[in-house]
């Protein structure tokens, strides 16, 4: 990229956490310098940082002086005018205070309450193309507690749909996603399990779903995984949301269940696989298969996957804000418990099933699901939608 000299002139500005600027810090500071803009970004002392390519610094205030160790790249000092600034490699940088949480979520003000979202918990089962987008978007609206469950490792063939990149290939998806969440909101609590949902310890279910009342989001590649998670949500009386896809992601489905409702459970509505063309094969076979021509379920492109997933995320945000009078619901209760979202009604992409949709980008509004006779979970004889 070629810029004019005016556009390239360095700003010589340091972004400093307000608490450090006011009170100092006796420990070591870390920062990143962006040479193209001339901005030095200094991080709070207590946030987890990924990687090791950071500059080192300290506060040179009298109460927390670190001495004259030349190993430091920058120092926060008090200048001759009794103003606090940053000395970086012999150059004075103007100090600009910021509050991490307030600054990160300031653009959500008036749309969603960051303080309330910070107390919300979400458990995501399946951290692939769907789960990674769910996690990072919810992190951006301020959700403060995440449980991530997935047994897969990020591979090169995942990158065209996943929110993570090639430098994370070889990591477990849950670990890569945890780092991405903390890069958005370093104050979030993120617990990970690199395993299948059925191997998560019961004490974790008790803590996250029983005590925290986490919204459980099924983002796996098959119905069987969602049935398992939804059954546990019924047991703990916790909300459940499933986001799934049909062949080539020509269409997707969104299902939600709320406790203390007369809604049909997921197993009754969809668990037998009699409706739709969503994959019901082994999850590992699909997600770890390198030769895509050998996979009988063809994944879609990111644009199709993300379109449906974002509608599911809006439902998740609505569910997390049920009972919050200060929040305006986007999709609930108008959106049915079971919704189909069409990316394309072209049979060349979706086969015969594509013809059930009248037009591309159709969102169904009239589908209803019912409990199976004798179901103990969702209450036989009630009215269900």
């Amino acid at each position: 990229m070629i810029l004019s000299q005016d556009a390239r002139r360095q700003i010589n500005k340091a972004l400093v956490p307000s608490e450090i600027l006011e009170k100092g810090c006796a420990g070591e500071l870390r920062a990143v310098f962006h040479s193209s803009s001339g901005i030095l970004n200094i991080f709070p002392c207590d946030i987890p940082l990924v990687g090791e390519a950071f500059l080192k610094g300290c506060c040179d205030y009298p109460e927390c002086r670190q001495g004259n160790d030349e190993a430091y790249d920058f120092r926060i000092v008090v200048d001759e005018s009794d103003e606090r600034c940053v000395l970086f490699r012999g150059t004075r940088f103007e100090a600009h205070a910021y509050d991490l949480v307030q600054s990160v979520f300031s653009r959500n003000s008036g749309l969603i309450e960051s303080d309330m979202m910070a107390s919300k918990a979400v458990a995501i089962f399946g951290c692939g193309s769907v789960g990674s987008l769910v996690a990072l978007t919810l992190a951006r609206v301020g959700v403060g507690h995440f449980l991530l469950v997935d047994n897969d490792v990020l591979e090169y063939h995942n990158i065209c749909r996943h929110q993570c990149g090639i430098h994370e290939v070889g990591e477990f998806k849950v670990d890569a996603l945890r780092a991405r969440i903390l890069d958005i909101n370093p104050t979030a609590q993120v617990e990970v399990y690199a395993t299948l949902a059925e191997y998560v310890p019961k004490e974790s279910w008790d803590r996250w779903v029983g005590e925290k009342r986490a919204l459980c989001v099924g983002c796996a590649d098959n119905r069987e995984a969602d049935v398992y998670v939804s059954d546990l949500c019924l047991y703990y009386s916790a909300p459940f949301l499933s986001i799934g896809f049909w062949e080539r992601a020509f269409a997707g489905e969104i299902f939600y269940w709320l406790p203390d409702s007369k809604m049909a459970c997921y197993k009754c509505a969809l668990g037998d696989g009699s409706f739709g063309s969503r994959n019901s094969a082994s999850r590992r076979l699909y997600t770890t298969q390198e030769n895509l021509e050998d996979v009988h379920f063809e994944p879609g492109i990111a644009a199709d996957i993300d379109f449906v997933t974002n509608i599911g995320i809006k439902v998740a945000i609505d569910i997390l804000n049920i009972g919050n009078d200060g929040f305006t619901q986007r999709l609930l209760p108008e959106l049915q418990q079971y919704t189909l979202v069409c990316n394309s009604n072209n049979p060349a992409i979706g086969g015969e099933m594509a013809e059930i949709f009248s037009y591309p980008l159709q969102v169904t509004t009239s589908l209803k699901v019912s409990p199976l006779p004798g179901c103990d979970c969702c209450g036989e004889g009630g009215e269900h939608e």
Side-chain angles (χ1 to χ4, degrees):
M1 180 174 64
I2 300 176
L3 298 177
S4 67
Q5 289 301 315
D6 287 342
R8 281 185 175 277
R9 67 182 180 84
Q10 291 196 343
I11 301 173
N12 288 358
K13 178 171 71 174
L15 306 178
V16 187
S18 55
E19 185 176 36
I20 293 177
L21 201 59
E22 294 168 3
K23 302 178 182 178
C25 175
E28 186 175 87
L29 301 174
R30 288 178 290 178
V32 170
F33 178 60
H34 300 282
S35 58
S36 60
S37 64
I39 293 179
L40 180 70
N41 183 18
I42 302 174
F43 300 104
C45 299
D46 56 349
I47 71 167
L49 296 174
V50 180
E52 299 179 354
F54 296 103
L55 299 170
K56 296 180 180 180
C58 66
C59 280
D60 209 21
Y61 303 168
E63 61 270 24
C64 52
R65 186 181 298 278
Q66 297 292 307
N68 295 315
D69 189 347
E70 297 300 326
Y72 290 124
D73 298 290
F74 65 91
R75 291 174 178 273
I76 304 176
V77 302
V78 178
D79 64 14
E80 300 82 359
S81 304
D82 203 30
E83 293 184 0
R84 299 190 172 184
C85 65
V86 177
L87 291 180
F88 174 52
R89 296 174 179 172
T91 302
R92 184 186 187 279
F93 277 56
E94 184 178 340
H96 292 253
Y98 73 89
D99 180 277
L100 181 67
V101 175
Q102 290 183 5
S103 297
V104 168
F105 301 111
S106 61
R107 296 300 175 92
N108 291 337
S109 179
L111 301 172
I112 196 164
E113 297 178 40
S114 297
D115 290 344
M116 178 172 289
M117 296 304 291
S119 66
K120 300 297 183 180
V122 176
I124 300 175
F125 299 89
C127 295
S129 55
V130 180
S132 62
L133 181 58
V134 171
L136 297 190
T137 305
L138 292 181
R140 289 187 171 95
V141 298
V143 171
H145 302 266
F146 291 88
L147 173 65
L148 308 177
V149 180
D150 194 305
N151 71 326
D152 285 339
V153 169
L154 191 70
E155 300 190 43
Y156 279 104
H157 61 256
N158 299 135
I159 300 305
C160 66
R161 294 179 299 275
H162 205 274
Q163 297 299 305
C164 294
I166 61 173
H167 65 284
E168 292 147 315
V169 167
E171 281 194 271
F172 279 107
K173 291 177 180 177
V174 291
D175 293 331
L177 196 53
R178 177 181 183 273
R180 290 293 184 107
I181 291 172
L182 293 176
D183 197 37
I184 296 168
N185 180 9
T187 65
Q189 176 191 2
V190 187
E191 185 173 335
V192 302
Y193 284 97
T195 186
L196 298 174
E198 53 263 39
Y199 299 131
V200 174
K202 184 180 183 300
E203 54 266 27
S204 292
W205 285 100
D206 292 342
R207 184 172 67 256
W208 280 90
V209 188
E211 297 174 12
K212 293 179 181 292
R213 318 303 296 168
L215 166 62
C216 294
V217 187
C219 302
D221 303 317
N222 61 88
R223 295 195 191 282
E224 287 82 355
D226 282 358
V227 168
Y228 181 84
V229 175
S230 68
D231 282 350
L232 284 166
C233 286
L234 287 164
Y235 174 80
Y236 286 100
S237 191
F240 172 73
L241 172 67
S242 168
I243 305 172
F245 288 84
W246 294 2
E247 193 82 8
R248 298 184 180 180
F250 83 90
E253 59 183 35
I254 298 167
F255 176 94
Y256 66 92
W257 179 87
L258 303 176
D260 303 320
S261 69
K262 294 183 178 181
M263 293 179 172
C265 67
Y266 181 86
K267 187 174 183 179
C268 277
L270 303 168
D272 63 354
S274 60
F275 186 74
S277 58
R278 185 176 173 189
N279 184 38
S280 294
S282 168
R283 181 168 181 271
R284 286 186 57 85
L285 177 65
Y286 164 48
T287 55
T288 63
Q289 179 59 263
E290 294 184 9
N291 299 317
L292 292 183
E293 62 269 20
D294 295 335
V295 182
H296 70 276
F297 179 83
E298 296 184 27
I301 64 173
D304 289 336
I305 292 171
D306 292 356
F307 175 67
V308 178
T309 301
N310 275 312
I311 296 176
I313 293 170
K314 290 175 185 286
V315 175
I317 294 172
D318 280 359
I319 292 174
L320 291 170
N321 281 278
I322 289 177
N324 177 9
D325 295 335
F327 177 80
T328 302
Q329 296 281 313
R330 269 62 171 174
L331 299 180
L332 299 184
E334 285 77 12
L335 204 65
Q336 294 283 355
Q337 184 188 3
Y338 181 56
T339 299
L340 295 180
V341 181
C342 169
N343 277 305
S344 173
N345 66 338
N346 188 336
I349 298 176
E352 294 181 358
M353 286 296 294
E355 297 178 353
I356 70 173
F357 298 101
S358 301
Y359 51 87
L361 306 185
Q362 180 181 1
V363 179
T364 62
T365 57
S366 60
L367 294 178
K368 294 187 178 182
V369 291
S370 300
L372 295 174
C375 177
D376 295 328
C377 296
C378 51
E380 182 183 9
E383 294 184 4
H384 307 263
E385 290 189 352

